[in-house]
Amino acid sequence: MSAASKVVIPPNLEAQIDPFLKAMPIENRNVPRIAQLVSLLNSGNSKIRENAATLLAALCFEAPNRDHLRDEGYIGPILSILKDADPAVSRHGTFAAMSLANLDKNKDYIRDNNLLSLYFDALGKPPSPAPPQYVQNLMHGVLLLATNQQNREIIGSNTAYIKSLSSVLLNMSEWDPAIGDKVVNTLVSVSVSKVGRETAMREGGAIAALVAALHKRQDDHDLATKILPALFNLSIIEPNREAIRAAGGLTELSRRVSLPQPQHDNLITLCLRTFTNLSVDKATCAYVATNNLFGEFIKILWSKNDAMINHALSAIQNLLDDDECLESFNRSHAIPPLVRVVGVYSTMPIPQQQAGTPASPIPAILAKAVLLLSELFGLQDAQHEFLELDNNPIGVLLSAYSCPVLDVHKNCTRALANLSQFHDNIRGRLGVSGVIPPIIQQLQQKDREAVRQALRALTNLSLNANNAIIIYKANILDTIIAMCNISDQELRVLATKILVNMTMHEPLRAPLSDKGGMQIALQLMASADDPEVQLQGAKLVTNFALYGKNRKAMTERGFGKVLQEYEQSAVKRASSSPAAALLQTQIETALGNLSFPYEEKYEDKPIELAAAQPSLDQLELEEAMQRELDRRAEEEAAAEEEERLRALMEVEKEKERRRVEEEKAQVEEAKRKLEERRREDERRKLAEAALRKKREEEEAKRKADEEAQRKALEERKKKEEAEARRRVELERKRVEEERKRKEEEARKAREEKERREREEAARREAERREKEERERKALEERERLQREEEDRKMQEIKEEQKKREQEEKLRKMREDAARRAREAEAQRAKEEADRKAREENERRERERREAEQRAKEEKERRDREEKEREVQRAREEAERKAAEERERKEREEAARLEKERLARIAREERERADREEAARKAREEEEVALRRKEEELALRQQEITRKEAMLKKMKEDEDAARQAAAAEIAAAAAAISAAASGHSGSSVPSPGRARATATSFVNTYQRDKEPITTGADVKARSMTWKAATSPATSPRETEQEKAAKLAKRARISQELISVERGYVRNLSIIIKLFLNPLQSAVNSRKPILPADRIKKIFGIVEVIYNYNSLLLEGLDSRIRRWQENQAAPLLVGDIFIKMCDYMQCYSTYINNYDDATNLLRESKRSNEKFAQFIAKAETDPECRMQELESFLIHPVQQLPRYILLLSDMLRSTPQDHPDLVPLTQAVERMRKLTEFVNEQKRQAEDTAKMAAIQRRIVGKNNNVLAAGRKFIKEGPCQYNSTTMKEKDREQFKDIMYVFLFNDMLVFTTSRTKGSVIGSKTSTEYKWREHLPLSNKTFINAASGGDRAFMVQDTQLGKLYTLTFPSPADRQQWLQKLTMALAALSAKGV
């Protein structure tokens, strides 16, 4: 070895290298042998290159040489062997590449000199077929290089390098552990680099390759343990997650998550970590929900492995951001394992963390488990499943508060807030279980989220009355009130909602106001920049004002004026801000509450029922009598006033009698209409019977036709089957003949090909032998020439003996060279022979492969033909099945049509029965109403008779009293005269009696002289005057009658307060059990019902509840005080007079009631979640087995109920009772209010009807909406006018349709239009012309007989002939049109 090189050549290699180099034609032999070997790599002889590569690879395996080769710059030339086109050469390059990479300095050298590409180019384009261990050696080298951080970064940043690695795995048909494991290890090591993780691994296909490796080696858990950490690292990047899903990574992860525990806990944990990253995307959520993987996650929650449970909870937590996953998770019965996790880990002590050790997973597991419970509690069925557990689930949840970690406390409180948002019975159960104290403790935290969740929970819990009291007694009000003044808008609103909810409960209104609640309400109202806070302030004012003392205090403080100012501001913003509109409505309600008079509670000082009458000054008897004598001149005026009062009473009595007569006439008219309706029902029944009979006949005919069609179809089917069998048989024979022909042709072609191949082989053999013969002769000729040359040289040596001796050494050297040349030539000949042998072997191998290929092609041909035959059979079978399917569908269609027809008939029968039942019930109700009306008229007639007798008796009593008074006055005058003249006598009355008589008369006279303004005043003054002037010995009612009336009145008052209390309770049930939970869920992630639908269904039920709470407070105070002191009269009339103004809001509710109930039913049908909520709420014990609809109808029924109860009370009120006049006025105002509500309802229905007609009429001038216009009638009618063309008359005569309004006739043509839903159709009407109605419009007879009449407008010059389907229709139209014209004429139109 030359001294210039440090490369170590072992003796065994030296024995091979030196002869090889000596035999090679090397130009420069002065260089080291390693350089000579490297130079031979450029030889054109592949054998020389192969031998040189072999020797160089062997040198690379010597450990010292790896450093020497690097230092002397031989690594690049040696690695260039990988680029050699000859696989036998490049194969040895892989050994060298593997060996050189096994040194850290060489790794840097290869990177710094850009030699990495040689490895990856060879991997990307391996020779075909690749020599043994080719890829394996390269991969081992790459794996060694990838252990260097900088190399990993370069490999990871080069997509081409990654593609080379990935292609090895993707192109591997059978898994080779020696190669596959190395590729996986390399990709795993590269995946930790930043660039590789972000882009190259994905774009180079490495992700797909790793997932493919998992799929190919499903049972190789060691390999999965290597791949899964790489997938976890890669899944941090969003595009990589999509690539993992696209490659089927979710399937592989799911397969391994379901492995049995605990032997595969480590592998499952790795899968869960990757799932945690992947689960942040919607696509993963959809996959998990679709394939129901939550069941596997839930199995893990039952395990005892902390790491697995922790990662499973993390994955589920990410997945539950998707609503579909939340539903799927809930369906998997996740509540029990989560409760079990909370219960187990709540009792575990948390070890203290030591330096350098990981933190305990217990707090994280607890926080995640409770957070998942809180997510599930947003679903109603999850709440019920939780509460139905047997192991005290609320107690388990509360046990999590024992963990000293704030995140756990926040999530627990969040869970309780979600658990309490729907049902009041759940709130009550939570309050009893003791959840409020830990929530209040959390309210003291400095963490904003902890405080927010605590406020949420208290807001929901305070909707329950018992919970509100617990919160009040917890002395936390100061904290809540303080939060109403903070700057954080969300926390501020939540705090105010707690106060609003607490003031909804009557026992807390007074103490909360004493705590400064009213001042807080004013401060909230002053938040002009925040309408939501203002709204809560207005609600607070509304609730406080339900308590009488609060109303008084608020009125004294000027709340009304302040609220009016805020209302004006809200009105200005209402058009542009929905929140301002809500605020305006709430302020109006608050003002209404404040305006209700203050009624002291019966526990306070007794209420003054009436002001005391002033007494006369103490006068001398003479002065009093003198005044009485001076007024005697006015007796006649008093008598005239009495007569006027009696006349007014007579007028009232006459009016009452006429009203009774009118009502009797109305009853008779109603009876007549009822009878007409009965006859109409009978006629309709006969018509329906005839129609049913006709339908039955048509049905029988249709069935016969269908039977004939069915038989014809069966016959046609049999013929088609026979024809199909014949065609199949012919096709089978043709295919068989074609197959035989092809087989014969293939056999002949195969024999011809084999013959040609044999001839070609014989020719090649002859050529080979000839070539060998030529080579042998050439070799013999060369040997002969050499021998001749040697003889010639020997002769020369003999001739020049002296010269030969001198050159003996040189000759020997030549002989040695010749010998070596011969040996080299022999070696070349041997190599040539070996090459030819290899070629022969390769030729034979090719022939063998060709034969195998031909056999394979023949097999494929036979398989293809067999497949074609199978396809043909399958096609025939498919055609047969298709025919059967068509027949089946035809039968099903026929059955469906038959079913629909039967259903339609049944539906029509049900509808007819329903109509008959409804008509029957309506008749019965009308009959009951008529009987009630008759009874009421009879009672009123008796009352009139009784009043007449009473008036007569009163007149007689008044005459007697007047005579007695005149006698007393005369006696008193005589006594005064006697006293003045100094005389005395026994006939003078005592001064006290005389003055009492005079005073009584004076007071009576003064009251009678006051002006009388109304009929009610007339009655009241009359009764007062009569009571004052009638002697005690002649009462208008007997004491027994009066006592009986008062007893009945007491019973009615109890019934009144009981009805009102039940009514308010029902309204509170609507709000507490249905409305409030739905409103609370509006702002949740998945609302039960949209806010607009909630508003439409429940309307203004909260406003009605508010006002009726005021009414209940007033009635309760009056009746309970009266029960304490029954000597005082019970007054209720004035309360109802005050409430009439408030109750006008009933009109809005009643107008919306039909739409609300329809929307409620539709929402229950279309929204399963809403239907479940309603069904669950209706099972609350407070509902008493009643449905929501039965509660919503109560406000509709309440006003008539008031009228009945107050009327009964009025009839049971004595004539001298102070509540008689107010109660009379209350009944009258209630009746007027009911009439107003009914009128508003009718107008709303008319408006809706007009809008519906407007939608049905199309055309240019189709506007039928106008102020004061009302719809009267519509129907088919053929019309002919002077302006109509003849062709139009003929074209539209069968579809003409007319609408009658109170001021015009509209002429249209009808057409039927299909609907997109099912097979329903609708009818629309095209506007043709119209005729305004006025006092110039007249009705005349027509020549069309009893079905037509003419309408003429003399002002417009139009004449219409209207022809109707029947005389009855003509009569109805004539009557309606005549009434419309009469109404217009009365208005002067």
Side-chain angles (χ1 to χ4, degrees):
M1 184 183 71
S2 172
S5 177
K6 296 181 181 180
V7 175
V8 177
I9 301 178
N12 60 333
L13 287 179
E14 190 174 8
Q16 299 178 34
I17 292 174
D18 288 345
F20 173 70
L21 290 177
K22 289 178 182 178
M24 294 296 102
I26 300 173
E27 295 180 359
N28 186 5
R29 293 187 178 274
N30 295 325
V31 297
R33 284 175 288 184
I34 184 67
Q36 296 179 34
L37 287 172
V38 170
S39 66
L40 291 176
L41 294 176
N42 298 322
S43 173
N45 190 323
S46 62
K47 190 65 179 179
I48 295 175
R49 296 197 307 276
E50 181 182 358
N51 291 334
T54 304
L55 295 172
L56 288 170
L59 289 173
C60 291
F61 276 99
E62 297 297 326
N65 289 343
R66 297 170 190 160
D67 283 315
H68 300 325
L69 291 172
R70 180 189 69 252
D71 296 339
E72 297 175 11
Y74 290 118
I75 289 181
I78 293 174
L79 291 179
S80 65
I81 300 172
L82 296 172
K83 299 192 292 183
D84 199 293
D86 190 340
V89 179
S90 59
R91 171 178 173 272
H92 297 291
T94 63
F95 287 101
M98 176 181 66
S99 178
L100 290 172
N102 195 17
L103 189 67
D104 291 340
K105 291 184 178 179
N106 287 355
K107 296 172 187 176
D108 296 332
Y109 180 87
I110 291 171
R111 178 189 70 248
D112 296 339
N113 290 274
N114 298 323
L115 299 178
L116 282 172
S117 60
L118 296 174
Y119 285 84
F120 291 100
D121 290 344
L123 273 177
K125 298 179 180 179
S128 180
Q133 293 188 322
Y134 181 92
V135 178
Q136 180 180 349
N137 293 340
L138 279 174
M139 283 310 309
H140 191 74
V142 171
L143 180 60
L144 291 172
L145 291 171
T147 58
N148 181 281
Q149 172 66 25
Q150 296 181 4
N151 287 347
R152 285 200 300 272
E153 292 293 337
I154 293 176
I155 296 171
S157 63
N158 195 315
T159 304
Y161 293 171
I162 302 296
K163 284 183 178 178
S164 301
L165 293 171
S166 303
S167 63
V168 175
L169 284 181
L170 295 174
N171 296 330
M172 191 182 298
S173 57
E174 295 291 336
W175 184 263
D176 185 354
I179 299 174
D181 290 355
K182 290 183 175 62
V183 177
V184 168
N185 291 336
T186 304
L187 290 175
V188 169
S189 64
V190 171
S191 67
V192 300
S193 69
K194 181 180 179 182
V195 180
R197 185 169 63 242
E198 290 180 352
T199 56
M201 290 289 287
R202 178 180 70 258
E203 296 174 357
I207 292 176
L210 291 175
V211 175
L214 287 176
H215 179 70
K216 292 175 182 177
R217 303 287 291 172
Q218 295 181 8
D219 298 329
D220 191 343
H221 302 315
D222 293 334
L223 180 67
T225 305
K226 299 175 183 177
I227 293 175
L228 288 173
L231 292 179
F232 169 73
N233 290 332
L234 292 168
S235 62
I236 297 173
I237 310 301
E238 181 178 357
N240 291 349
R241 295 197 290 270
E242 180 59 35
I244 293 173
R245 284 191 294 271
L250 290 175
T251 303
E252 299 305 321
L253 291 173
S254 305
R255 182 180 289 116
R256 286 162 178 79
V257 166
S258 59
L259 290 173
Q261 306 169 17
Q263 55 268 36
H264 296 103
D265 283 0
N266 185 38
L267 188 59
I268 295 173
T269 303
L270 292 173
C271 292
L272 290 172
R273 292 178 63 205
T274 309
F275 248 123
T276 301
N277 288 345
L278 292 172
S279 58
V280 300
D281 296 331
K282 292 290 185 182
T284 304
C285 296
Y287 178 88
V288 172
T290 304
N291 295 275
N292 194 21
L293 294 183
F294 284 117
E296 302 300 332
F297 292 155
I298 289 174
K299 290 179 184 177
I300 295 171
L301 297 182
W302 290 105
S303 70
K304 298 180 180 179
N305 189 314
D306 294 347
M308 284 174 51
I309 293 175
N310 191 14
H311 289 301
L313 291 172
S314 298
I316 296 171
Q317 180 179 342
N318 290 343
L319 288 168
L320 293 194
D321 289 338
D322 182 77
D323 291 340
E324 187 177 355
C325 279
L326 183 61
E327 296 285 352
S328 178
F329 186 53
N330 181 45
R331 289 194 296 270
S332 301
H333 301 290
I335 293 291
L338 287 174
V339 173
R340 175 251 172 198
V341 170
V342 174
V344 169
Y345 285 89
S346 296
T347 58
M348 288 185 179
I350 302 176
Q352 203 167 23
Q353 185 178 1
Q354 302 295 330
T357 60
S360 172
I362 293 176
I365 292 174
L366 262 179
K368 293 172 186 176
V370 177
L371 179 63
L372 295 183
L373 282 174
S374 71
E375 292 288 344
L376 288 172
F377 289 161
L379 305 175
Q380 300 178 64
D381 48 353
Q383 294 184 3
H384 307 325
E385 183 179 4
F386 172 77
L387 295 172
E388 289 170 1
L389 295 178
D390 297 331
N391 55 348
N392 186 18
I394 299 177
V396 172
L397 190 59
L398 286 176
S399 67
Y401 279 105
S402 62
C403 178
V405 178
L406 182 59
D407 286 343
V408 177
H409 294 181
K410 287 192 291 188
N411 291 344
C412 283
T413 309
R414 184 174 185 266
L416 292 172
N418 292 346
L419 186 60
S420 59
Q421 66 178 331
F422 292 132
H423 302 294
D424 192 68
N425 56 349
I426 296 178
R427 297 188 197 106
R429 183 173 172 182
L430 290 173
V432 172
S433 300
V435 302
I436 295 178
I439 295 174
I440 291 177
Q441 290 179 5
Q442 185 171 325
L443 199 62
Q444 313 297 328
Q445 298 289 338
K446 295 182 180 180
D447 184 85
R448 181 189 181 279
E449 181 61 20
V451 174
R452 189 178 79 89
Q453 295 300 339
L455 289 174
R456 283 187 63 234
L458 292 176
T459 300
N460 293 338
L461 290 169
S462 61
L463 289 170
N464 180 273
N466 293 332
N467 292 345
I469 295 173
I470 294 173
I471 295 171
Y472 175 77
K473 291 181 178 179
N475 297 324
I476 198 67
L477 277 182
D478 293 338
T479 303
I480 297 174
I481 291 174
M483 288 185 179
C484 293
N485 297 319
I486 62 177
S487 58
D488 191 314
Q489 193 265 352
E490 184 180 9
L491 300 185
R492 189 180 183 189
V493 170
L494 287 172
T496 57
K497 285 184 177 180
I498 296 175
L499 293 179
V500 170
N501 292 345
M502 293 179 71
T503 55
M504 290 174 60
H505 311 295
E506 184 179 0
L508 297 179
R509 289 175 188 144
L512 285 174
S513 66
D514 296 339
K515 289 278 188 178
M518 289 188 286
Q519 187 63 32
I520 289 295
L522 274 184
Q523 294 175 7
L524 297 176
M525 291 293 296
S527 303
D529 57 338
D530 194 339
E532 177 63 25
V533 174
Q534 280 189 305
L535 178 62
Q536 299 305 323
K539 289 183 178 180
L540 206 55
V541 173
T542 303
N543 292 345
F544 275 132
L546 290 174
Y547 181 62
K549 279 189 175 180
N550 289 348
R551 283 201 304 280
K552 182 179 180 182
M554 294 164 80
T555 303
E556 292 172 352
R557 295 183 188 180
F559 268 63
K561 184 177 180 180
V562 175
L563 287 177
Q564 287 174 358
E565 294 175 357
Y566 290 137
E567 181 186 21
Q568 293 173 2
S569 175
V571 169
K572 295 178 182 178
R573 294 178 292 160
S575 59
S576 59
S577 172
L582 290 175
L583 176 61
Q584 177 191 351
T585 304
Q586 192 63 46
I587 292 176
E588 291 174 353
T589 306
L591 286 170
N593 287 4
L594 284 175
S595 64
F596 193 81
Y598 164 58
E599 184 79 25
E600 292 186 9
K601 286 290 185 180
Y602 78 98
E603 294 92 345
D604 301 329
K605 63 180 181 179
I607 187 173
E608 295 294 337
L609 296 180
Q613 292 290 338
S615 60
L616 291 175
D617 295 334
Q618 193 65 30
L619 301 175
E620 292 295 333
L621 176 61
E622 292 80 5
E623 295 177 358
M625 292 305 298
Q626 185 62 42
R627 283 196 301 274
E628 292 299 326
L629 291 174
D630 292 339
R631 290 175 182 167
R632 291 183 62 181
E634 299 178 0
E635 285 184 358
E636 293 184 1
E640 292 177 0
E641 182 67 20
E642 180 184 350
E643 290 298 327
R644 187 175 68 83
L645 290 174
R646 188 179 290 106
L648 287 174
M649 293 290 290
E650 292 292 335
V651 170
E652 289 293 326
K653 183 175 67 174
E654 185 63 26
K655 287 182 180 179
E656 181 71 17
R657 185 179 293 107
R658 284 199 299 270
R659 189 159 54 246
V660 170
E661 293 297 330
E662 290 173 358
E663 291 179 358
K664 284 182 178 179
Q666 291 175 1
V667 170
E668 293 299 326
E669 179 65 18
K671 287 182 178 179
R672 185 184 62 78
K673 290 182 178 180
L674 184 62
E675 187 62 30
E676 289 179 356
R677 195 174 302 162
R678 287 200 189 96
R679 290 196 295 270
E680 183 66 25
D681 290 342
E682 292 295 330
R683 289 195 296 270
R684 188 178 67 255
K685 288 180 182 179
L686 293 175
E688 289 176 353
L691 182 60
R692 283 197 299 274
K693 183 176 181 182
K694 183 178 179 181
R695 286 179 178 172
E696 290 173 357
E697 293 174 354
E698 292 176 352
E699 182 63 21
K701 183 178 179 182
R702 188 186 61 77
K703 287 184 178 180
D705 293 342
E706 288 179 353
E707 183 65 24
Q709 290 177 1
R710 185 183 61 77
K711 291 181 178 179
L713 184 62
E714 290 178 354
E715 187 65 27
R716 185 169 67 253
K717 178 182 173 185
K718 290 178 181 178
K719 290 180 181 180
E720 289 176 354
E721 289 177 352
E723 181 64 22
R725 286 195 295 271
R726 185 181 65 79
R727 285 198 302 270
V728 169
E729 185 63 26
L730 291 175
E731 183 65 20
R732 187 185 62 76
K733 290 180 180 179
R734 185 188 66 75
V735 171
E736 185 65 26
E737 292 173 357
E738 182 68 18
R739 184 184 62 77
K740 290 179 179 179
R741 183 181 63 77
K742 288 182 179 180
E743 288 178 354
E744 183 64 24
E745 291 176 355
R747 184 182 60 77
K748 291 178 180 179
R750 189 167 58 253
E751 292 175 353
E752 179 65 22
K753 186 176 180 181
E754 290 173 354
R755 183 184 62 75
R756 286 196 299 270
E757 289 175 351
R758 286 194 298 272
E759 291 176 355
E760 180 67 20
R763 183 182 63 76
R764 289 177 181 172
E765 182 66 23
E767 289 178 352
R768 185 184 64 77
R769 289 176 181 173
E770 183 180 352
K771 185 176 181 181
E772 288 177 353
E773 183 64 24
R774 285 196 303 272
E775 290 175 351
R776 185 183 59 76
K777 289 180 179 180
L779 181 61
E780 289 176 354
E781 181 65 22
R782 283 194 300 271
E783 290 176 352
R784 185 183 62 78
L785 291 174
Q786 288 176 359
R787 284 193 300 273
E788 289 177 354
E789 181 67 25
E790 290 175 356
D791 293 341
R792 186 179 60 78
K793 290 179 179 179
M794 289 297 292
Q795 185 66 25
E796 291 176 353
I797 292 172
K798 287 178 181 180
E799 291 175 353
E800 298 178 359
Q801 184 65 34
K802 189 177 181 178
K803 187 178 180 179
R804 185 182 61 222
E805 290 175 354
Q806 296 175 352
E807 297 178 352
E808 181 65 27
K809 188 176 180 178
L810 181 61
R811 183 184 61 75
K812 287 181 180 180
M813 291 176 66
R814 288 196 191 100
E815 287 177 356
D816 290 340
R819 181 177 55 77
R820 285 194 298 271
R822 285 196 299 273
E823 289 177 356
E825 186 65 26
Q827 181 67 24
R828 285 194 294 274
K830 184 180 178 182
E831 290 175 355
E832 185 65 22
D834 291 342
R835 184 184 63 77
K836 291 178 179 178
R838 285 199 303 274
E839 290 178 353
E840 179 64 22
N841 290 335
E842 290 174 357
R843 183 185 61 76
R844 290 177 180 173
E845 181 64 24
R846 283 197 300 274
E847 291 175 354
R848 183 183 64 77
R849 286 199 297 269
E850 289 174 356
E852 290 178 353
Q853 183 65 23
R854 287 194 298 274
K856 184 178 179 181
E857 290 175 354
E858 179 64 21
K859 183 179 178 182
E860 289 177 352
R861 183 186 60 77
R862 288 196 298 271
D863 292 344
R864 189 166 55 253
E865 291 175 353
E866 181 63 26
K867 186 179 291 185
E868 290 175 355
R869 287 194 294 274
E870 290 178 357
V871 168
Q872 180 63 24
R873 288 195 294 272
R875 186 184 300 112
E876 294 169 356
E877 181 66 19
E879 291 176 354
R880 183 183 63 78
K881 289 183 177 180
E884 293 177 353
E885 182 66 18
R886 285 195 302 273
E887 294 173 3
R888 184 184 64 78
K889 287 183 177 179
E890 290 174 356
R891 290 194 298 273
E892 289 179 353
E893 180 66 17
R896 184 183 66 79
L897 293 174
E898 176 66 15
K899 185 177 180 180
E900 289 179 354
R901 187 187 61 79
L902 294 175
R904 186 176 65 255
I905 293 174
R907 186 169 61 254
E908 291 174 353
E909 286 295 325
R910 287 196 302 271
E911 291 174 354
R912 182 186 58 78
D914 292 342
R915 287 196 302 272
E916 292 178 353
E917 180 65 18
R920 183 185 63 77
K921 289 182 178 179
R923 287 195 300 272
E924 290 177 354
E925 291 175 356
E926 289 182 359
E927 290 174 355
V928 170
L930 287 173
R931 285 196 296 272
R932 190 181 296 114
K933 193 73 173 178
E934 290 174 348
E935 293 173 358
E936 185 177 348
L937 290 174
L939 290 174
R940 292 175 68 178
Q941 186 64 41
Q942 293 175 5
E943 183 70 15
I944 290 171
T945 305
R946 188 183 63 80
K947 286 182 179 180
E948 290 176 348
M950 186 182 299
L951 285 173
K952 184 177 180 181
K953 185 176 180 182
M954 287 169 57
K955 185 177 180 181
E956 294 174 353
D957 293 342
E958 288 167 2
D959 292 340
R962 190 181 299 110
Q963 293 174 3
E968 288 182 0
I969 291 172
I976 292 172
S977 299
S981 59
H983 298 286
S984 62
S986 60
S987 62
V988 178
S990 67
R993 172 177 170 84
R995 187 164 60 184
T997 304
T999 301
S1000 173
F1001 185 82
V1002 168
N1003 290 340
T1004 301
Y1005 185 79
Q1006 287 178 342
R1007 283 194 296 269
D1008 290 342
K1009 291 296 288 181
E1010 294 176 0
I1012 299 174
T1013 56
T1014 63
D1017 291 336
V1018 169
K1019 293 181 181 179
R1021 300 301 173 86
S1022 174
M1023 293 174 183
T1024 306
W1025 183 83
K1026 292 166 190 172
T1029 56
S1030 298
T1033 57
S1034 301
R1036 289 167 292 174
E1037 292 176 325
T1038 65
E1039 292 298 331
Q1040 291 182 349
E1041 290 175 347
K1042 187 175 180 180
K1045 283 189 175 184
L1046 290 174
K1048 185 176 181 181
R1049 178 182 167 86
R1051 290 195 300 271
I1052 295 172
S1053 66
Q1054 293 300 322
E1055 182 182 359
L1056 179 63
I1057 190 66
S1058 175
V1059 167
E1060 186 62 22
R1061 189 174 288 114
Y1063 176 56
V1064 172
R1065 183 184 64 247
N1066 291 335
L1067 293 178
S1068 69
I1069 289 173
I1070 296 174
I1071 296 171
K1072 181 172 65 174
L1073 300 186
F1074 298 95
L1075 177 57
N1076 283 343
L1078 290 173
Q1079 289 178 337
S1080 299
V1082 165
N1083 296 324
S1084 63
R1085 190 172 70 182
K1086 196 170 184 182
I1088 300 175
L1089 203 65
D1092 57 338
R1093 288 205 163 203
I1094 297 174
K1095 180 65 177 175
K1096 291 177 181 176
I1097 291 175
F1098 293 95
I1100 59 167
V1101 68
E1102 290 178 295
V1103 177
I1104 294 176
Y1105 169 75
N1106 174 78
Y1107 290 150
N1108 278 88
S1109 297
L1110 292 173
L1111 174 61
L1112 177 61
E1113 182 200 34
L1115 290 175
D1116 184 66
S1117 175
R1118 289 283 181 87
I1119 292 176
R1120 294 176 73 176
R1121 185 184 297 105
W1122 173 78
Q1123 289 174 344
E1124 294 289 334
N1125 182 20
Q1126 295 191 10
L1130 173 61
L1131 309 177
V1132 297
D1134 59 324
I1135 298 178
F1136 280 94
I1137 292 174
K1138 299 168 189 173
M1139 285 304 302
C1140 282
D1141 294 334
Y1142 296 86
M1143 290 185 177
Q1144 290 188 4
C1145 63
Y1146 274 77
S1147 173
T1148 304
Y1149 183 90
I1150 294 172
N1151 291 346
N1152 182 61
Y1153 174 74
D1154 293 336
D1155 294 338
T1157 52
N1158 292 335
L1159 182 59
L1160 172 63
R1161 298 187 191 105
E1162 188 274 330
S1163 299
K1164 288 167 68 175
R1165 287 193 301 268
S1166 60
N1167 188 335
E1168 182 180 359
K1169 190 175 180 181
F1170 175 67
Q1172 291 176 354
F1173 167 78
I1174 294 297
K1176 176 61 182 176
E1178 289 173 348
T1179 61
D1180 192 286
E1182 287 193 64
C1183 289
R1184 305 181 302 282
M1185 305 301 290
Q1186 295 186 55
E1187 296 181 352
L1188 174 57
E1189 288 189 50
S1190 64
F1191 286 107
L1192 291 177
I1193 200 174
H1194 282 300
V1196 179
Q1197 301 170 337
Q1198 191 64 12
L1199 291 182
R1201 189 178 289 120
Y1202 285 145
I1203 294 175
L1204 291 176
L1205 289 171
L1206 293 179
S1207 298
D1208 288 346
M1209 181 174 279
L1210 179 61
R1211 285 193 289 271
S1212 301
T1213 300
Q1215 304 245 342
D1216 57 351
H1217 199 286
D1219 199 25
L1220 180 64
V1221 175
L1223 196 57
T1224 304
Q1225 294 176 354
V1227 172
E1228 187 64 25
R1229 293 195 62 177
M1230 275 292 173
R1231 284 193 178 126
K1232 290 181 179 179
L1233 176 62
T1234 305
E1235 292 172 0
F1236 167 77
V1237 170
N1238 293 337
E1239 178 63 21
Q1240 292 293 314
K1241 174 72 170 172
R1242 187 187 61 77
Q1243 290 181 5
E1245 292 174 349
D1246 289 345
T1247 302
K1249 180 69 173 176
M1250 291 290 290
I1253 293 173
Q1254 178 68 56
R1255 290 192 295 269
R1256 290 160 60 193
I1257 298 178
V1258 298
K1260 293 182 178 179
N1261 301 317
N1262 64 334
N1263 187 13
V1264 300
L1265 299 179
R1269 180 169 295 161
K1270 296 181 181 180
F1271 169 76
I1272 297 177
K1273 188 172 178 59
E1274 65 175 294
C1277 170
Q1278 292 186 17
Y1279 54 86
N1280 179 16
S1281 70
T1282 54
T1283 59
M1284 182 179 291
K1285 298 179 181 179
E1286 185 63 31
K1287 62 178 183 178
D1288 291 343
R1289 187 179 304 117
E1290 291 299 322
Q1291 179 182 358
F1292 301 130
K1293 67 178 183 179
D1294 295 330
I1295 56 174
M1296 293 178 176
Y1297 205 84
V1298 179
F1299 292 87
L1300 173 60
F1301 300 93
N1302 63 333
D1303 61 347
M1304 73 172 178
L1305 274 167
V1306 176
F1307 302 96
T1308 68
T1309 53
S1310 62
R1311 61 180 180 183
T1312 302
K1313 180 176 65 173
S1315 175
V1316 295
I1317 302 174
S1319 58
K1320 295 181 180 179
T1321 60
S1322 60
T1323 303
E1324 66 178 20
Y1325 303 92
K1326 183 173 178 58
W1327 180 292
R1328 293 295 172 186
E1329 54 183 315
H1330 76 288
L1331 175 65
L1333 302 181
S1334 66
N1335 56 4
K1336 302 297 183 180
T1337 307
F1338 302 98
I1339 303 174
N1340 301 318
S1343 59
D1346 57 354
R1347 294 192 303 114
F1349 60 80
M1350 289 190 299
V1351 180
Q1352 181 180 8
D1353 191 302
T1354 57
Q1355 184 176 1
L1356 299 177
K1358 292 185 178 181
L1359 178 64
Y1360 293 85
T1361 301
L1362 307 183
T1363 304
F1364 299 93
S1366 67
D1369 291 332
R1370 173 191 178 277
Q1371 186 62 31
Q1372 292 178 5
W1373 275 90
L1374 184 61
Q1375 181 181 359
K1376 295 293 185 182
L1377 183 56
T1378 303
M1379 292 173 65
L1381 292 174
L1384 288 173
S1385 177
K1387 293 179 181 179
V1389 179

